[in-house]
Amino acid sequence: MSPSRTVTTPLSAPEEQRRWRSRVLPALRGTVLDVGAGSGVCGATLDPNVQWLALEPRPRRRLVAAVRSRPHSRILDAPAEQVPLEDASIDAVICSTALCSVADPDRALAEIHRVLRPHGGFVFFEHVAAAPGTAARRVQGLAGPFTRCLDHGCDPCRDTATHIRRAGFASVELETLRTGGLVGRLVPVIRGRALR
Ligand SMILES: C[S@@+](CC[C@H](N)C(=O)[O-])C[C@H]1O[C@@H](n2cnc3c(N)ncnc32)[C@H](O)[C@@H]1O
């Protein structure tokens, strides 16, 4: 993957997200922190030997059941802005449509950077703000108050690529996806990997 490029795909964002999960997550090894784990959908694609730490400030029954079914795994009932882990203790971190929901993305990314071991990988798939001044951005602005209330605090107008690039990683590889369908035109997606 080049450091930064834009890719157009006929697939929808959820289809691309499923593909990303099945291509990227099974390769992760060691202790893996899943930020904003939700119902645990990322944990299901991890290698069985991985220790999955599902960070979720609102753990629901499905996540509890998913974590119980995996040996050595546990829920961290905490926000991404205050990760209850030692410095440099984690081999890889996942953010899958989570940085749109955290209250403070810079603080969350500082915590991700802190807990990753040197050369550890941060993999992400996030929907992001459309370009300023576009109709899509105006629609995102109108939708924001509703999605923040109804969808786990989700802010559709977040410039997550900028937050990731300024978080202090040694390298960042990032693709912007123009996905298919109406939602795809309204909601660009980024995916990539950063190394501590
Ligand atoms: C859109 S869901 C994504 C769930 C899952 N990662 C996935 O790929 O389907 C966003 C999740 O982030 C969680 N969340 C919200 N604020 C958070 C915070 N400050 N720290 C960590 N997670 C947070 C929400 O509770 C929700 O489960």
Side-chain angles (χ1 to χ4, degrees):
M1 194 185 288
S2 63
S4 183
R5 65 177 186 142
T6 300
V7 175
T8 301
T9 162
L11 299 183
S12 67
E15 286 167 333
E16 282 291 349
Q17 189 169 16
R18 274 194 291 279
R19 237 185 206 205
W20 171 82
R21 276 199 303 266
S22 63
R23 279 186 184 164
V24 173
L25 304 190
L28 303 180
R29 291 291 179 268
T31 303
V32 175
L33 175 67
D34 180 7
V35 174
S39 61
V41 70
C42 289
T45 59
L46 291 171
D47 182 271
N49 295 314
V50 157
Q51 182 187 21
W52 175 39
L53 302 182
L55 182 102
E56 175 53 61
R58 284 173 283 272
R60 281 152 279 170
R61 254 182 297 173
R62 273 178 73 183
L63 181 63
V64 173
V67 168
R68 277 205 190 122
S69 70
R70 283 183 67 101
H72 317 300
S73 295
R74 62 192 164 104
I75 291 178
L76 302 178
D77 185 351
E81 293 85 351
Q82 274 180 293
V83 179
L85 293 170
E86 300 288 315
D87 295 0
S89 58
I90 295 296
D91 296 295
V93 178
I94 304 166
C95 273
S96 170
T97 50
L99 288 171
C100 54
S101 293
V102 303
D104 182 343
D106 286 327
R107 183 73 219 136
L109 283 157
E111 283 290 90
I112 289 167
H113 189 273
R114 178 184 69 76
V115 301
L116 266 176
R117 65 165 171 72
H119 312 296
F122 166 48
V123 295
F124 52 88
F125 187 104
E126 296 284 338
H127 66 80
V128 297
T134 59
R137 183 61 172 266
R138 282 193 289 282
V139 173
Q140 289 182 330
L142 291 172
F146 299 99
T147 57
R148 282 195 289 275
C149 282
L150 301 173
D151 189 14
H152 314 285
C154 174
D155 179 358
C157 303
R158 216 160 251 189
D159 184 4
T160 300
T162 298
H163 290 291
I164 292 172
R165 286 203 178 95
R166 69 182 178 212
F169 290 101
S171 66
V172 177
E173 295 173 345
L174 188 149
E175 285 180 340
T176 302
L177 296 183
R178 307 274 173 225
T179 54
L182 174 65
V183 176
R185 282 193 289 279
L186 288 177
V187 185
V189 161
I190 60 168
R191 70 182 171 200
R193 176 187 304 272
L195 291 182
R196 163 132 194 234

